[in-house]
Amino acid sequence: MIPVRSPEEQALSTMLEDVTAGIDLDEDMLTRVMREGRRRRLRTRAAGTALLAGSVALAGVVVVQSAWNRDEDTSVATPELTATPEPSPSAAVPDPAMQAAFETTRAALAALLAVNVSRYQEEQFHLALDHRTGNAILYLPHTGTIDPAEMGPVDVDQLAADAVETAQATPGAAPVVPVVGVALIDELDAVSVQLFQTRADWASDPHDVYWTYPDPEEVSVTVGVAALSTAADLPSTMQLASGATATIRSEVSAAGGPQPGGPTPGPEPG
Amino acid sequence: MERSTSQSFEEWARADGVQLRRAALLLTGNAHDADDLVQDTLVRVFAKWPRVRTMENRGGYARRVLINRHLSLGRRLQRLRARQNLMMGGDPAAEAPRDAAIDAQADLRRALLTLGPRQRAVVVLRYYLDLPDAQVAEILNCSPATVRSQAHRALATLRNSVEIGAYNQEQGR
């Protein structure tokens, strides 16, 4: 359906077209994009080789990973389709044994997490705890298969499977559940967006909520408020679509003042 | 496989990249940030191209990535640079205009920078890319009513700085 615009709106459309009329595609930029794309694939392959060698030395015994299910139908939605998680005020704080198992898992997967070389959060491995089940949720950086013919396949899935085996062979580690097709930062972004959009529902005064900020390193969303009492009704945790639990924090902030690290006023879709 | 993947991406990028770059210029207000934004967007689309290439609306996916990147990573930096440009006269649009049309276009670019990132995104998606409100709302993860109200406010703000309504008449359109 063609939108109906007023004469003023039509004039604005014309002005915007005129403003950008002299802009064409930059061939150099396209070359850089193609080079960067190929470089990432090479880098991932190199990291995979290094981790595979480390995993073999660590694990010793190969255990079949039953939790590693490659059935696409059971995978979490792709990032752009991630459902906005519902608040879960009842999400439990992990008990010490659960937390200890998770830390053991994190240590067992240190080699995997160390290959996070991309500057983009959604292209990194992340580990988060499901506070309800005690499972460690392992987010994979890529979806689908990347198989450059000239270089050989870059099998991120195999990389993760090896890491899962390593964790399973580690005494005291929590079960690892790989998540395919969604990035932790996207899930946290969704929560961040939801919190900001629904601030009228939970804040004592929605005007005193200045920003929300997702942090994949800490698996948290921080809310910038005028006073801590503004967010007194916020749940302390929220369940993500993949099962992991995000911690919700409040932070006193200056009005509209972005904080170091990049929190942003307003929602940030995917 | 790799060659065909790269080739199909390059073909798509040549077709849709121009519009992305133009939209990015409107979103960021300067060529340097616009190119950073477009390059970032294209690299991301390329990284997921095996999946994206199967989509019916690849351009829509790319526009969504572009807007999301604009709203997230670059937001604070863009706002800071926009203010600096306005204060220091660093914005190319602030250079001496050559005629009334260019004058009005420069006014518009300056005025766009006074909008918030989301309002600017609404203007670009609604008036430059000519997307219906439902699609704009989907991209921005808000309701169509919010899109309309944001557009209304953005127009009111732009109207304070630019005589939009007279533009087409002055250009003989």
Side-chain angles (χ1 to χ4, degrees):
Chain A
M1 188 172 63
I2 299 173
V4 177
R5 306 285 190 231
S6 70
E8 183 186 42
E9 291 176 314
Q10 290 173 18
L12 176 57
S13 293
T14 304
M15 289 183 82
L16 293 171
E17 287 175 11
D18 289 351
V19 163
T20 58
I23 308 294
D24 289 319
L25 186 66
D26 184 341
E27 288 292 333
D28 291 340
M29 178 202 296
L30 187 56
T31 302
R32 286 195 297 273
V33 167
M34 304 298 289
R35 190 188 309 132
E36 171 70 10
R38 294 190 181 104
R39 191 175 64 81
R40 284 186 186 198
R41 295 176 183 189
L42 277 170
R43 188 177 56 203
T44 306
R45 183 182 178 223
T49 304
L51 182 76
L52 192 60
S55 296
V56 169
L58 259 176
V61 180
V62 173
V63 180
V64 175
Q65 172 52 35
S66 59
W68 178 239
N69 186 352
R70 296 298 304 133
D71 184 353
E72 289 297 325
D73 292 337
T74 62
S75 66
V76 175
T78 51
E80 64 273 22
L81 298 176
T82 302
T84 303
E86 294 298 324
S88 179
S90 61
V93 174
D95 62 46
M98 198 179 278
Q99 188 69 46
F102 178 68
E103 293 305 328
T104 302
T105 308
R106 194 203 300 274
L109 300 186
L112 177 73
L113 300 174
V115 305
N116 286 335
V117 291
S118 170
R119 65 191 175 105
Y120 301 117
Q121 294 284 359
E122 60 267 46
E123 293 170 5
Q124 298 184 1
F125 290 95
H126 278 106
L127 200 63
L129 175 61
D130 184 337
H131 288 203
R132 290 180 308 176
T133 63
N135 289 335
I137 310 292
L138 176 62
Y139 292 83
L140 307 189
H142 292 282
T143 61
T145 304
I146 301 174
D147 54 349
E150 298 92 331
M151 297 176 266
V154 177
D155 198 343
V156 174
D157 295 343
Q158 185 61 47
L159 202 65
D162 293 339
V164 168
E165 288 176 3
T166 301
Q168 284 203 330
T170 303
V176 177
V177 179
V179 173
V180 181
V182 66
L184 175 58
I185 185 63
D186 290 331
E187 293 208 308
L188 291 172
D189 263 343
V191 172
S192 179
V193 168
Q194 185 193 26
L195 285 178
F196 196 83
Q197 287 181 334
T198 60
R199 61 194 183 281
D201 298 334
W202 53 262
S204 57
D205 182 346
H207 295 102
D208 286 344
V209 180
Y210 302 134
W211 46 263
T212 56
Y213 176 55
D215 184 344
E217 299 303 323
E218 296 189 353
V219 196
S220 67
V221 175
T222 305
V223 181
V225 290
L228 293 180
S229 59
T230 304
D233 289 341
L234 263 185
S236 59
T237 60
M238 290 179 77
Q239 201 78 33
L240 305 180
S242 60
T245 308
T247 302
I248 309 301
R249 296 196 176 92
S250 301
E251 180 178 311
V252 176
S253 171
Q259 302 301 295
T264 50
E268 291 184 349
Chain B
M1 178 73 79
E2 166 67 8
R3 179 165 296 142
S4 65
T5 296
S6 298
Q7 280 180 341
S8 71
F9 171 80
E10 192 170 345
E11 286 169 8
W12 168 82
R14 287 187 185 283
D16 283 22
V18 176
Q19 191 183 56
L20 285 178
R21 196 172 182 220
R22 292 176 178 180
L25 180 66
L26 296 173
L27 289 168
T28 62
N30 70 80
H32 180 77
D33 286 346
D35 282 354
D36 280 352
L37 179 59
V38 174
Q39 184 168 322
D40 184 37
T41 298
L42 289 176
V43 167
R44 284 167 178 274
V45 174
F46 188 28
K48 297 187 176 179
W49 188 247
R51 183 163 55 91
V52 175
R53 68 186 297 188
T54 64
M55 295 179 179
E56 282 187 18
N57 189 4
R58 293 173 232 173
Y61 178 86
R63 284 195 293 271
R64 185 170 184 148
V65 173
L66 182 86
I67 294 295
N68 286 344
R69 301 314 295 169
H70 160 67
L71 290 177
S72 54
L73 290 179
R75 175 153 33 191
R76 285 197 307 141
L77 185 61
Q78 288 162 14
R79 188 182 302 147
L80 178 65
R81 285 186 181 170
R83 287 176 182 163
Q84 284 176 336
N85 285 336
L86 287 174
M87 293 174 67
M88 307 294 290
D91 178 18
E95 294 170 1
R98 285 166 292 181
D99 58 32
I102 294 179
D103 194 8
Q105 291 169 20
D107 285 345
L108 177 62
R109 286 183 59 183
R110 275 196 296 271
L112 280 173
L113 294 177
T114 66
L115 300 178
R118 287 180 70 78
Q119 275 193 6
R120 209 179 317 150
V122 166
V123 168
V124 172
L125 292 168
R126 200 173 195 253
Y127 299 118
Y128 175 66
L129 297 174
D130 211 25
L131 298 180
D133 293 343
Q135 279 188 37
V136 177
E138 188 183 344
I139 290 174
L140 294 175
N141 198 21
C142 64
S143 70
T146 301
V147 171
R148 285 190 287 275
S149 68
Q150 290 282 311
H152 178 76
R153 290 176 186 171
L155 262 178
T157 303
L158 295 176
R159 204 178 288 131
N160 289 333
S161 308
V162 191
E163 290 191 23
I164 301 170
Y167 185 78
N168 275 354
Q169 294 170 357
E170 289 171 1
Q171 301 307 302
R173 295 171 179 171

